Amino acid sequence: MEKHYRRCSKSLIEREIDDECVIVDTLSGNVHQFNAAAACIWRNLVDDMDILSLAGVLHKNFRIDMDAAIADAETCVKQLCDLGLIEVC
């Protein structure tokens, strides 16, 4: 079964700056700056989503081939999980 991911229910403050996104984790005090691809994934991760759905968002928005989109989505999701900003649901 494919894993699904969602944003953690922490107290996060987010701001959009051009194509990038800045997230402040008010519990830890950490500040995270996302590039355009990570910001795209973050913006679209509103419901529980799997890697293929997130890759589809990258594929559509950045016009990259699906294999590259899957690889980028996997990398981004791993990093966001490691930072504690998203979780497996």
Side-chain angles (χ1 to χ4, degrees):
M1 186 167 125
E2 183 72 27
K3 290 182 184 177
H4 284 73
Y5 301 89
R6 65 175 171 222
R7 292 182 184 187
C8 289
S9 58
K10 293 182 178 182
S11 297
L12 301 174
I13 299 171
E14 62 182 90
R15 295 288 182 260
E16 297 284 330
I17 302 170
D18 296 321
D19 288 338
E20 296 183 351
C21 183
V22 176
I23 304 292
V24 177
D25 182 341
T26 59
L27 296 178
S28 70
N30 292 328
V31 177
H32 309 281
Q33 183 175 355
F34 298 166
N35 64 18
C40 181
I41 285 176
W42 181 259
R43 275 190 231 91
N44 286 280
L45 191 58
V46 291
D47 293 319
D48 301 345
M49 295 181 72
D50 63 8
I51 293 291
L52 287 179
S53 298
L54 294 169
V57 169
L58 293 177
H59 171 72
K60 178 182 174 187
N61 284 286
F62 295 98
R63 296 188 177 112
I64 58 175
D65 70 55
M66 198 57 176
D67 289 336
I70 291 169
D72 289 350
E74 287 173 337
T75 299
C76 184
V77 163
K78 181 183 180 330
Q79 291 173 341
L80 292 174
C81 282
D82 290 348
L83 292 169
L85 298 175
I86 66 172
E87 62 190 1
V88 176
C89 53

